Amino acid sequence: VVGAGPAGLVVADRLSEAGKKVLLIEKGGPSTWETGGRDQPPWLAGTQLTRFDTPGLFEAMFSSSNPYWWCKDIQVFAGCLLGGGASINGMLYFYPPDSEFGIDQGWPAGWQTPTTAINKLETKLPSTDTPSPDGIRYLDQVYDVVKTLLNSKGYSPATINSNRNWKDSVYGHPAYNFVGGKRSGPLTYLRSSKTRSNFKLMTYTNVIGLVRNGATITGVRTNDTSYGGNGIVPLTANGRVILSAGAFGSSRILFQSGIGPSDMINLVKNDATYGPNVPPQANWINLPVGYNVADNPSVNLVFTHPSVDSYDNWQPIWNDPRPADAAQYRNSQTGVFAGSSPRINFWKAYSGPDNKTRYMQGTARP
């Protein structure tokens, strides 16, 4: 399994749970304290709380002088470390509506009401809209201001994950996957995987491509030449490779393996570093890898309001946080730092001239 982000962690756990022998390969290193990470702000020294454990340090991900957690081979934000994007995001956590599993979305018939799967997910990764274990919502002025605006536009309040199919003219407190005032998420699956003897994890190992004989994958080529002398991890006769390195990472691995559109494979072929490992053109497999990639537009608006504590725009939180808030979190993992910055989420459905319904999701924070 290539990539220890949300998808790879879940797949590796489920396969090892089923008795399969699993090797999980991650190009980055540890994140949370439990995974071996030790990156802490000065005010958390002497604890077992890192920047990745502490929800309220989310905004500090974007202002560090050494942001080693970002992937260096793409121009958008992506996490290259254990947990992937789920180790560096704000941990907003919404159970999907049934509409996302429609036949018109490409899902097979019979998958349209995934209640059993979602219940299993909820048991493994519970959500909360009160991230601080003391049950208090902190810095909630943004919620009060924005809800007044939304109420005037016909929106209604709801507990978001208790109403997962309601995504039109609705708002609520953000749902998170924080447990005990700390980041949880897909790394929970790594915890159970590591208890099994049939599971192995390799970190700081970059998968360059797939070794194959025609359409049969025989191994995984890595940058770690100490492995077998050439960096190739061989598969058994019944072995399989699952790429879970993200939309960009998995596509790149396939291109570098001679799988995908010919124009992309030619780019790799002409590269001095990766070209020598590309199979002969007669063995290229022409598949629409990378086609139909889409992203959602994001618009940021900044307002001021006399009743809102801006929290200094989260700028001093690494080196010079507000002393009372830092002490509260250090002592009990409660308070402002037990949650990330969002304070309200809202949705609106819009019908377009093409008869498609599209959804706008809003987030507001101090």
Side-chain angles (χ1 to χ4, degrees), residues 52-342:
F52 307 106
D53 291 286
T54 308
L57 289 175
F58 162 64
E59 295 290 344
M61 299 288 182
F62 306 95
S63 57
S64 172
S65 60
N66 179 31
Y68 59 87
W69 48 87
W70 300 121
C71 299
K72 303 299 190 292
D73 50 5
I74 58 176
Q75 295 181 337
V76 296
F77 289 128
C80 280
L81 74 175
L82 285 174
S87 285
I88 47 84
N89 63 8
M91 287 299 285
L92 292 173
Y93 178 48
F94 307 121
Y95 300 144
D98 290 345
S99 59
E100 293 191 8
F101 297 89
I103 295 175
D104 61 331
Q105 301 294 320
W107 293 90
W111 289 44
Q112 280 58 66
T113 309
T115 306
T116 300
I118 290 175
N119 289 343
K120 186 173 183 178
L121 171 68
E122 185 176 6
T123 299
K124 185 86 170 183
L125 301 179
S127 77
T128 180
D129 61 6
T130 52
S132 181
D134 59 11
I136 300 172
R137 293 191 174 106
Y138 293 81
L139 293 180
D140 219 28
Q141 305 98 334
V142 167
Y143 180 89
D144 294 332
V145 170
V146 175
K147 80 172 183 180
T148 301
L149 172 65
L150 295 176
N151 286 339
S152 71
K153 298 298 181 181
Y155 285 67
S156 299
T159 301
I160 294 171
N161 277 346
S162 296
N163 298 273
R164 63 182 180 85
N165 286 315
W166 188 4
K167 290 295 183 288
D168 187 18
S169 298
V170 64
Y171 68 86
H173 292 279
Y176 296 108
N177 184 215
F178 298 138
V179 176
K182 299 191 294 183
R183 182 183 296 271
S184 180
L187 284 171
T188 303
Y189 291 86
L190 179 61
R191 183 182 305 139
S192 50
S193 296
K194 292 175 73 172
T195 64
R196 303 183 185 112
S197 61
N198 56 322
F199 172 84
K200 181 179 179 182
L201 172 67
M202 293 173 63
T203 55
Y204 296 114
T205 304
N206 186 24
V207 172
I208 299 169
L210 307 174
V211 182
R212 58 188 180 85
N213 180 10
T216 301
I217 308 300
T218 61
V220 173
R221 189 185 307 277
T222 76
N223 64 337
D224 183 2
T225 55
S226 67
Y227 199 100
N230 55 10
I232 295 176
V233 181
L235 267 68
T236 65
N238 295 319
R240 298 290 187 271
V241 176
I242 295 176
L243 299 181
S244 54
F248 295 97
S250 293
S251 297
R252 179 183 292 107
I253 292 170
L254 290 170
F255 296 153
Q256 292 170 181
S257 308
I259 301 172
S262 59
D263 59 337
M264 298 304 296
I265 301 175
N266 270 314
L267 286 176
V268 180
K269 180 183 176 183
N270 295 325
D271 183 87
T273 301
Y274 300 105
N277 294 321
V278 174
Q281 188 165 354
N283 291 328
W284 292 2
I285 300 176
N286 188 0
L287 291 172
V289 177
Y291 281 32
N292 301 314
V293 172
D295 203 351
N296 300 309
S298 177
V299 179
N300 291 309
L301 304 174
V302 180
F303 302 91
T304 59
H305 193 280
S307 72
V308 172
D309 179 356
S310 70
Y311 212 64
D312 309 304
N313 201 26
W314 303 88
Q315 292 305 303
I317 56 176
W318 185 260
N319 287 312
D320 189 24
R322 296 182 184 181
D325 292 341
Q328 180 179 359
Y329 185 76
R330 180 185 173 95
N331 293 333
S332 63
Q333 286 78 71
T334 62
V336 172
F337 285 98
S340 60
S341 52

Side-chain angles (χ1 to χ4, degrees), residues 33-50:
W33 186 278
E34 182 181 10
T35 66
R38 296 296 182 266
D39 188 0
Q40 298 175 304
W43 57 275
L44 285 177
T47 72
Q48 295 186 1
L49 299 165
T50 70

